[in-house]
Amino acid sequence: VQIDDDKISISAGQVLVIPPGIKHGLYTEKGYYQIGFDVKDIEDPYHLAEKLHEICQDKAIRLQISHFPEPEYLTVQMLTDISPINRLKVISRINNLLIDIMESAEKKANTESASMADFRQRFIEVAENCSNRQKSLEEICDIMNFSKTHLERLVKQEFQCSVMEYVNRLRFAKLCSQLIISDKTLTE
């Protein structure tokens, strides 16, 4: 799936929840099955679009669907035999699938949100400690137990700057506050 400049790979047993209004393209070499739900704010008495925006926060969420209680929501027979009873079965199972997907997406989003809050707090603590003495990016990565690339990406996402830029901003803020409360000059 292509969303802006990001390519997201999806494997068998996975589903990708894309919030309403997010433009995307589907590409595959082998073919794929797609069930799409067009949820428009105007025709949405159950506020599904609002809930999806709230859960996804305008980003796609990839989920494993193998843990859902009913592994086969739709059978080929239901989709090919368009009898009234099968139509009702398909509608019912698609509704159940959508509810399961939304519940899983909400759990995943809540977990990711909590883990990002933990990361944010831990990074602030490490950065404050590192601003007292010269620490390299490698040393900070070792303390945080992240690769350089991953740590830089998370910090950029959370603080809109690089790791060392954040540490230097803290260092500068501490120096400024020390200048304000002490009698020392800038050169001292």
Side-chain angles (χ1 to χ4, degrees):
V1 177
Q2 176 93 28
I3 300 175
D4 296 326
D5 293 331
D6 295 330
K7 287 185 180 178
I8 302 168
S9 296
I10 303 168
S11 303
Q14 293 182 329
V15 66
L16 187 66
V17 179
I18 303 171
I22 302 290
K23 291 184 179 182
H24 61 281
L26 303 170
Y27 305 96
T28 181
E29 294 172 7
K30 297 179 182 177
Y32 58 87
Y33 293 101
Q34 174 186 353
I35 298 176
F37 301 95
D38 250 351
V39 181
K40 297 179 180 160
D41 294 328
I42 298 168
E43 305 161 2
D44 187 13
Y46 302 108
H47 306 284
L48 292 177
E50 182 182 322
K51 186 66 176 171
L52 281 170
H53 280 295
E54 180 186 313
I55 291 169
C56 297
Q57 298 177 0
D58 291 327
K59 65 180 184 229
I61 296 178
R62 182 178 30 219
L63 302 167
Q64 285 297 125
I65 59 171
S66 56
H67 69 277
F68 288 162
E70 188 179 339
E72 287 191 27
Y73 284 91
L74 303 170
T75 63
V76 174
Q77 181 186 3
M78 282 183 206
L79 296 171
T80 55
D81 174 11
I82 311 294
S83 67
I85 192 76
N86 276 344
R87 225 181 251 165
L88 287 174
K89 285 179 184 178
V90 168
I91 291 169
S92 173
R93 292 200 178 163
I94 287 177
N95 284 335
N96 289 335
L97 175 63
L98 182 58
I99 290 166
D100 286 347
I101 288 170
M102 288 179 70
E103 285 175 343
S104 286
E106 187 170 38
K107 285 177 190 172
K108 184 173 182 177
N110 289 340
T111 301
E112 287 176 357
S113 177
S115 66
M116 281 307 287
D118 292 343
F119 163 79
R120 183 181 183 87
Q121 184 59 40
R122 172 127 166 76
F123 177 74
I124 290 170
E125 290 169 8
V126 169
E128 286 174 352
N129 290 334
C130 292
S131 68
N132 295 332
R133 50 198 169 284
Q134 287 295 108
K135 290 270 189 196
S136 67
L137 175 58
E138 290 80 14
E139 291 171 308
I140 295 170
C141 289
D142 286 343
I143 294 167
M144 293 288 298
N145 200 23
F146 284 110
S147 70
K148 288 184 206 177
T149 306
H150 189 60
L151 183 61
E152 285 287 5
R153 185 180 57 78
L154 290 174
V155 170
K156 183 75 170 176
Q157 179 183 334
E158 283 295 303
F159 300 99
Q160 290 74 47
C161 65
S162 72
V163 171
M164 294 313 294
E165 189 177 348
Y166 187 85
V167 170
N168 289 333
R169 285 180 187 176
L170 283 176
R171 189 175 293 136
F172 185 73
K174 284 181 181 181
L175 289 172
C176 287
S177 66
Q178 287 175 356
L179 281 172
I180 291 170
I181 61 173
S182 73
D183 294 333
K184 293 182 181 179
T185 65
L186 185 58
T187 53
E188 294 176 300

